[in-house]
């Protein structure tokens, strides 16, 4: 981080690197070159070294259409690959492309940045590497390794064999951003880094954010010159965002950091869990090293497969832990309900409560009364802690492994209670159940002193990376073992069910029954509205509820709470709620057998595909109701959105005075429906599947696909479609013959082409819409929206 990123005289500390704009440095590495084109394929930026491969200065290329610089067949190929990009961070790769006649072929990485299409090319180094088969064999070896540590060691060993780097480390991040080397494969004669810890500032948070977006990162030579991208700013004064670039250079402070470690080249492959950065394969080499894009792609694929194996293994362990906790939890709730114990009697179940979440002590605050068991703060200290908890959200558990960090008096009792998991068990007044964990003092071995001094360098005051990476030990105090996500979910389920049980036990008078019913209805909605608010905030009205009023028995309520949590989480990450225009409709009713039937329908989100493996969330959704309640659960992965149907047996359902929950309908939504059958004529299978998904989302009842003129004509004769989308170029033939047949039948159609403006519709076909690749729903609406139905 140079002084230019800070105001002169401003303090420089360990957070300074977090503010460095590493994604807009404006330079690339010299092992390839970069071209940026506008949406109409005009060259708007180029790296200064483009002349080395294209034969013309970069300044002379700016403002020219790309087909004046690059072969038209190459452009057609790139347009087709752009069509397959899915999501804002999608990157595609094309191998062995001849951009200019009589010049070498290139391997190309392709993505979109802002309004520009980024084309990064590097000389092709064909290795005849079957990435899929190679990685399949590597993964089969991993799957034969059962335990966690051997799994990571084997993964590091295989990544080193694949990449040829001197050192490959599996580096795991802690919640605070620091990291630890948990596995290593290293060339003989080099120091070992296994077990060493690194502070969060070594990999700043904006770098960690980029690792979540971009699986792969190479620095081929730390001493190579940085090649500027011309011009550095667009007409609006904005730099080019190179977040997803494979050629992007790195900051000078990171290069200095690598030099201090004796590293001349590096490769990083992300390890993700649930879409979040879990760790890295960190590869180091003592000499400059560049490996082909094809081999880097295989390394990326291996990293993805390792991530999925790791996630699957961790979920199996968590599922077993949660099942045990849920069994204890259900026994406790049944005992409380049958014994008629309210909150005041909760202290009688302290032993059972301690078995739900692993802890060293337990604290209860009910109507101002204190109950403590095991290793806990004193009564006075606990009273102060409750006042602190009163400032937290009443409808969420609160977890920390370092109480003293957020509540200063907590430092006085951290030996007894360093961490807590606090469960609010009422709204007014605030009552709490708090699980405590004692301090676990541990020795952390750092790779050098983690404190980086600010010193005066050639560029002024700047943060200087450590020059020594020898083991530096520190004893960490004041922290407990961390609370896992599974334990937090268990505590949340306990909170919801405790509220349910207590409210039901208070149903002793008519007025109290009415109040209990109203509050119960709020709790049922809290399976829904509170979960939605957690992900959507003010936009929680995208979850639309409608149904009859019912009350659920405690066991059913607990099960449904878990199921709804998983449905909402899945929708927010991958389904309708992950998209700004999506929504979820939840409707419930009593059927002829008095069972409660809940319908969950998602629309307006991204296209849905059935999962290829069954994770823990899917298991909860599909098996909890049948297993726990002997009910029914059905999940359908329709392209237009996930749909679920849950049936709760009548034994677990009680009627309540009827009152409409909510039946809001979003205003101004006029979905475009194309109806009927659509025909897609396209010889690229991936693009054809993309078109099928878009047309289905627009309302097509069925989509037929053909890759040749003969097949298209056969389908038309067998069952004429309602509309058609025709790729102009079908390899050795064109789709004009298909177009003429459709015109004879009066069937509306549009051409799709990767040749841009150069394609001319034959005059005898009249005014036919032409869609340029890559296209999406908006393009199809414009092409077909005004076309009359036959």
């Amino acid at each position: 981080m140079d002084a230019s990123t800070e105001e002169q005289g401003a303090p420089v500390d360990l957070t300074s690197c977090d503010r460095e704009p590493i994604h807009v440095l404006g330079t690339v590495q010299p092992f390839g070159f970069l071209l940026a084109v506008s949406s109409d394929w005009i060259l708007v930026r180029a790296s200064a070294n483009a002349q080395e491969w294209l034969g013309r200065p970069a300044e002379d290329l700016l403002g020219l259409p790309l087909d004046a610089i690059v072969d038209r067949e190459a452009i057609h190929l790139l347009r087709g690959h752009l069509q397959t990009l899915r999501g804002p961070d999608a990157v595609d790769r094309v191998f062995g492309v001849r951009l200019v006649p009589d010049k070498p072929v290139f391997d190309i990485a392709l993505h979109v940045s802002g309004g520009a299409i980024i084309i990064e090319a590097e000389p092709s180094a064909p290795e005849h590497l079957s990435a899929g088969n190679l990685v399949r064999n590597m993964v089969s070896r991993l799957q034969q390794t059962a335990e966690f540590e051997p799994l990571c060691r084997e993964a590091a060993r295989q990544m080193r064999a694949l990449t040829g780097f001197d050192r490959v480390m599996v580096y795991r991040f802690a919640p605070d951003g620091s990291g630890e080397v948990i596995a290593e494969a290293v060339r003989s004669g080099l120091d070992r880094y296994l077990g060493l810890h690194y502070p969060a500032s070594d990999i700043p948070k904006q770098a960690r954010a980029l690792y979540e977006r971009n699986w792969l990162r190479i620095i081929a030579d730390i001493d190579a010159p940085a090649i500027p991208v011309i011009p550095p700013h667009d007409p609006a004064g904005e730099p080019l965002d190179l977040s997803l670039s494979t050629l992007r250079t790195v900051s000078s402070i990171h290069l200095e950091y690598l030099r201090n470690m004796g590293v001349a080249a590096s490769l990083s492959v992300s390890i993700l869990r649930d879409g979040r950065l879990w760790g890295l394969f960190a590869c180091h080499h003592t000499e400059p090293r560049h490996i082909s894009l094809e081999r880097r792609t295989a390394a990326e694929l291996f990293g993805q497969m390792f991530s999925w194996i790791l996630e699957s293994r961790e979920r199996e362990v968590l599922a077993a832990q949660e099942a045990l906790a849920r069994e204890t939890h259900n026994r406790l709730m049944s005992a409380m309900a049958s014994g008629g114990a309210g909150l005041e009697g909760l202290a009688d179940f302290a032993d059972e409560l301690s078995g739900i979440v692993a802890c060293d002590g337990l604290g209860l605050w009910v109507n101002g009364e204190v109950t403590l068991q095991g290793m806990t703060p004193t009564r006075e200290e606990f009273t102060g802690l409750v006042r602190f908890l009163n400032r937290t959200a009443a409808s969420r558990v609160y977890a920390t492994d370092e109480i003293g960090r957020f509540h200063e008096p907590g430092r006085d009792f951290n030996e007894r209670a360093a961490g807590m998991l606090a469960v609010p068990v009422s709204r007014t007044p605030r009552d709490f159940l708090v699980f405590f964990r004692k301090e676990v003092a541990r020795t952390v071995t750092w790779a050098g002193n983690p404190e980086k001094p600010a010193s005066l360098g050639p560029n002024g005051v700047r943060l200087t990376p450590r020059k020594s990476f020898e083991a530096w030990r520190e004893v960490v105090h004041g922290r407990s073992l961390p609370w896992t996500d599974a334990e937090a979910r268990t505590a949340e389920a306990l909170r919801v069910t405790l509220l349910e049980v207590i409210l039901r036990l208070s149903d002793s008078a008519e007025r109290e029954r009415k109040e209990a019913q109203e509050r119960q209805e709020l709790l049922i909605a809290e399976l829904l509205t509170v979960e939605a608010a957690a992900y959507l905030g003010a936009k929680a009205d995208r979850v639309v509820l409608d149904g009859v009023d019912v009350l659920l028995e405690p066991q059913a309520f607990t099960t449904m709470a878990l199921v709804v949590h998983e449905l909402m989480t899945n929708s927010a990450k991958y389904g309708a709620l992950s998209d700004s225009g999506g929504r979820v409709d939840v409707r419930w009713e009593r059927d002829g057998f008095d069972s409660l039937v809940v319908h969950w329908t998602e629309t307006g989100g991204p296209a849905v595909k059935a999962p290829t493996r069954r994770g823990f969330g899917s298991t909860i959704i599909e098996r909890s109701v049948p297993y726990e309640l002997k009910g029914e659960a059905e999940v359908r992965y329709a392209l237009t959105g996930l749909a679920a149907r849950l049936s709760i047996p009548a034994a677990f359902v009680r009627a309540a005075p009827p009152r409409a929950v909510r039946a809001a309908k979003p205003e101004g939504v006029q979905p475009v429906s194309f109806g009927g059958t659509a025909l897609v004529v396209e010889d690229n299978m991936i693009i054809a599947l993309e078109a099928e998904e878009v047309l289905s989302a627009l309302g097509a009842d069925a989509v037929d696909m053909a890759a040749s003129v003969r097949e298209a004509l056969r389908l038309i004769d067998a069952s004429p479609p309602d509309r058609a989308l025709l790729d102009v170029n079908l390899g050795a033939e064109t789709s004009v013959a298909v177009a003429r047949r459709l015109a004879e039948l009066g069937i509306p159609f549009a051409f799709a082409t990767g040749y841009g403006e150069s394609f001319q519709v034959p005059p005898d076909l009249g005014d036919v819409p032409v869609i340029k690749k890559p296209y999406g729903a908006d393009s199809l609406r414009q092409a077909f929206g005004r076309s009359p139905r036959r």
Side-chain angles (χ1 to χ4, degrees):
M1 183 206 68
D2 296 328
S4 59
T5 63
E6 298 288 324
E7 294 182 3
Q8 292 295 327
V12 180
D13 57 28
L14 292 178
T15 66
S16 299
C17 284
D18 289 337
R19 299 190 292 273
E20 187 177 15
I22 60 175
H23 62 301
V24 290
L25 295 178
T27 55
V28 297
Q29 300 180 67
F31 64 80
F33 67 95
L34 178 147
L35 302 176
V37 299
S38 62
S39 58
D40 54 352
W41 294 78
I42 302 297
L43 191 69
V44 294
R45 279 189 170 106
S47 58
N49 64 340
Q51 180 177 5
E52 180 179 342
W53 287 285
L54 299 181
R56 301 168 63 181
E59 293 85 350
D60 295 349
L61 302 176
L62 299 177
L64 295 177
L66 190 63
D67 60 9
I69 305 166
V70 172
D71 184 75
R72 289 178 66 247
E73 288 299 325
I75 296 175
H76 175 67
L77 180 64
L78 296 180
R79 280 182 177 270
H81 277 267
L82 272 176
Q83 181 67 44
T84 67
L85 293 182
R86 300 292 299 271
D89 292 339
V91 177
D92 199 5
R93 294 169 187 141
V94 196
F95 302 99
V97 180
R98 192 173 301 279
L99 293 176
V100 180
D102 303 322
K103 293 284 187 179
V105 295
F106 293 90
D107 293 337
I108 294 176
L110 196 66
H111 71 277
V112 176
S113 175
I117 299 164
I118 309 301
I119 303 167
E120 296 178 282
E122 57 187 89
S124 183
E127 302 186 69
H128 304 291
L129 182 73
S130 176
N133 189 55
L134 176 62
V135 172
R136 181 179 62 82
N137 291 331
M138 295 170 68
V139 168
S140 68
R141 291 174 177 271
L142 284 184
Q143 291 175 328
Q144 296 171 18
T145 308
E147 301 298 326
F148 174 75
E149 291 184 2
L151 175 72
C152 294
R153 286 198 303 269
E154 178 64 17
R157 191 178 71 85
Q158 295 211 38
M159 183 65 83
R160 181 166 179 251
L162 174 64
T163 63
F165 275 71
D166 288 335
R167 182 195 309 275
V168 173
M169 299 169 282
V170 177
Y171 184 86
R172 179 174 59 190
F173 288 103
D176 64 0
S178 64
E180 178 188 5
V181 178
I182 63 171
E184 181 181 44
V186 61
R187 172 173 64 82
S188 62
L190 296 182
D191 293 337
R192 302 278 175 167
Y193 291 162
L194 181 64
L196 294 184
H197 290 249
Y198 295 77
S201 53
D202 276 22
I203 303 180
K205 63 181 180 183
Q206 84 275 33
R208 297 195 296 271
L210 287 180
Y211 281 127
E212 285 189 354
R213 299 179 60 193
N214 198 345
W215 285 82
L216 192 70
R217 182 81 174 105
I218 187 171
I219 306 171
D221 183 356
I222 66 170
D223 294 320
I227 308 300
V229 175
I230 303 171
H233 299 91
D234 64 15
E238 294 296 324
L240 181 62
D241 187 335
L242 294 174
S243 297
L244 302 178
S245 166
T246 189
L247 296 176
R248 173 172 54 88
T249 55
V250 294
S251 68
S252 57
I253 190 171
H254 184 61
L255 293 177
E256 185 176 345
Y257 178 88
L258 293 175
R259 289 189 186 99
N260 291 347
M261 292 187 76
V263 175
S266 74
L267 176 73
S268 300
V269 181
S270 301
I271 303 171
L272 303 184
R273 189 185 188 281
D274 287 333
R276 304 299 302 273
L277 187 65
W278 182 94
L280 296 171
F281 285 102
C283 311
H284 289 170
H285 209 65
T286 55
E287 297 177 352
R289 179 165 180 76
H290 172 264
I291 60 176
S292 69
L293 183 60
E294 190 175 7
R295 189 165 290 272
R296 300 201 308 270
T297 300
E300 179 186 69
L301 178 58
F302 179 70
Q304 292 172 341
M305 297 303 298
F306 175 76
S307 297
W308 292 327
I309 292 172
L310 190 67
E311 181 176 335
S312 176
R313 298 277 179 91
E314 289 186 348
R315 285 191 180 277
E316 289 174 1
V317 174
L318 292 177
Q321 294 173 346
E322 289 187 336
L324 180 61
R326 188 163 58 250
E327 181 183 351
T328 307
H329 166 246
N330 289 339
R331 287 201 307 268
L332 170 63
M333 293 302 103
S334 298
M336 288 186 64
S338 61
L343 276 180
E344 294 78 6
L346 196 59
D348 297 334
F349 297 91
D351 290 337
E352 289 84 354
L353 289 168
S354 298
I356 292 178
V357 176
C359 63
D360 299 301
L362 192 74
L364 277 168
W365 176 277
V366 178
N367 294 327
E369 294 295 322
V370 174
T371 301
L372 299 172
Q373 177 176 294
M375 300 185 70
T376 66
T378 65
R379 294 177 64 89
E380 181 180 356
E381 292 166 340
F382 186 60
T383 300
L385 189 61
V386 168
R387 287 199 296 269
F388 164 76
L389 289 173
N390 279 331
R391 304 198 303 270
T392 64
S395 60
R396 279 286 180 269
V397 298
Y398 177 85
T400 177
D401 62 354
E402 190 177 4
I403 297 174
R405 180 183 176 189
F406 305 100
H407 176 60
E408 184 65 28
R411 299 184 186 277
D412 296 332
F413 55 80
N414 60 27
E415 289 185 2
R416 289 169 280 132
M420 68 174 171
L421 181 61
V423 183
V425 292
S426 67
R427 289 184 173 86
T428 305
R430 294 281 186 91
D431 297 305
F432 291 96
L433 163 64
V434 184
F435 299 95
F436 290 106
R437 282 180 178 167
K438 65 183 180 181
E439 177 188 57
V440 179
R442 57 196 178 98
T443 300
V444 176
T445 304
W446 297 96
N449 188 332
E451 296 298 324
K452 298 179 180 178
S455 62
L456 188 63
N459 298 314
V461 176
R462 53 168 286 174
L463 209 58
T464 301
R466 300 188 307 282
K467 293 181 171 60
S468 172
F469 292 86
E470 294 181 357
W472 189 88
R473 290 175 175 81
E474 175 189 24
V475 179
V476 178
H477 292 281
R479 301 182 72 168
S480 71
L481 291 175
W483 307 95
T484 66
D485 291 341
E487 289 167 334
R489 287 196 298 270
T490 298
E492 176 63 19
L494 176 64
R495 180 189 72 83
V496 172
T497 311
L498 276 173
L499 288 171
E500 159 73 5
V501 171
I502 300 308
L503 287 174
R504 290 187 48 148
L505 292 174
S506 67
D507 190 18
S508 59
E510 184 63 27
R511 181 180 60 82
E512 291 176 340
R513 279 199 301 270
K514 291 181 180 179
E515 291 178 356
Q517 288 168 358
E518 292 172 359
R519 293 172 72 184
Q520 173 64 44
E521 288 158 11
L522 288 175
L523 286 172
I524 289 175
E526 190 176 0
L527 301 175
L528 295 161
T529 55
V530 172
E531 287 285 347
Y535 290 104
L536 303 178
K539 299 180 180 179
D541 59 352
R542 288 166 54 193
V543 179
V544 182
L545 313 180
D546 186 18
V548 297
D549 285 350
V550 293
L551 304 178
L552 295 177
E553 295 294 329
Q555 184 179 353
F557 191 90
T558 303
T559 300
M560 285 298 293
L562 294 173
V563 171
V564 168
H565 176 81
E566 293 298 336
L567 281 169
M568 199 71 73
T569 301
N570 182 71
S571 182
K573 287 183 177 179
Y574 314 112
L577 299 183
S578 68
D579 188 281
S580 59
R583 83 180 229 184
V584 174
D585 288 272
V586 187
R587 178 174 55 85
W588 59 94
E589 60 195 7
R590 302 290 290 273
D591 65 11
F593 299 97
D594 273 344
S595 296
L596 178 67
V597 181
V598 180
H599 302 274
W600 174 288
T601 307
E602 300 187 20
T603 55
V608 173
K609 294 182 179 178
T612 56
R613 61 185 181 89
R614 189 176 302 279
F616 177 72
S618 300
T619 301
I620 286 290
I621 295 170
E622 298 179 23
R623 296 186 180 179
S624 291
V625 172
Y627 182 80
E628 301 285 350
L629 308 177
K630 308 304 183 214
E632 299 174 0
E634 178 186 2
V635 179
R636 291 185 296 106
Y637 297 92
L639 281 177
T640 53
L642 182 143
R645 179 186 179 275
L646 307 169
S647 178
I648 313 300
F652 299 98
V653 184
R654 289 198 296 113
R659 180 176 67 86
V661 177
R662 180 156 55 117
K665 301 294 182 184
E667 298 180 359
V669 177
Q670 299 294 333
V672 177
S673 178
F674 284 12
T677 300
L679 172 65
V680 174
V681 181
E682 169 64 67
D683 63 336
N684 184 301
M685 182 188 71
I686 300 299
I687 298 178
L689 290 172
E690 294 280 341
E692 179 189 32
E693 291 185 16
V694 174
L695 288 166
S696 296
L698 289 174
D701 299 315
V703 179
D704 291 330
M705 292 180 284
S708 66
V709 171
R710 180 179 178 181
E711 177 65 11
L713 294 176
R714 186 187 69 82
L715 291 173
I716 293 170
D717 291 341
S719 179
D722 293 271
R723 57 188 45 83
L725 179 64
L726 314 179
D727 181 27
V728 173
N729 191 322
L730 300 175
E733 57 185 353
T734 72
S735 61
V736 172
V738 181
R740 292 193 170 109
R741 178 61 175 151
L742 292 169
E744 291 174 3
L745 297 173
I747 298 173
F749 64 91
F751 284 115
T753 178
Y755 289 106
E757 306 293 344
S758 62
F759 172 68
Q760 299 295 322
V761 177
D764 63 295
L765 291 176
D767 185 16
V768 178
V770 177
I771 304 172
K772 291 184 291 185
K773 295 180 180 179
Y775 54 80
D778 289 340
S779 299
L780 294 180
R781 285 193 190 96
Q782 293 175 8
F784 290 117
R786 295 185 297 275
S787 298
R789 294 287 306 276
R790 287 193 303 112

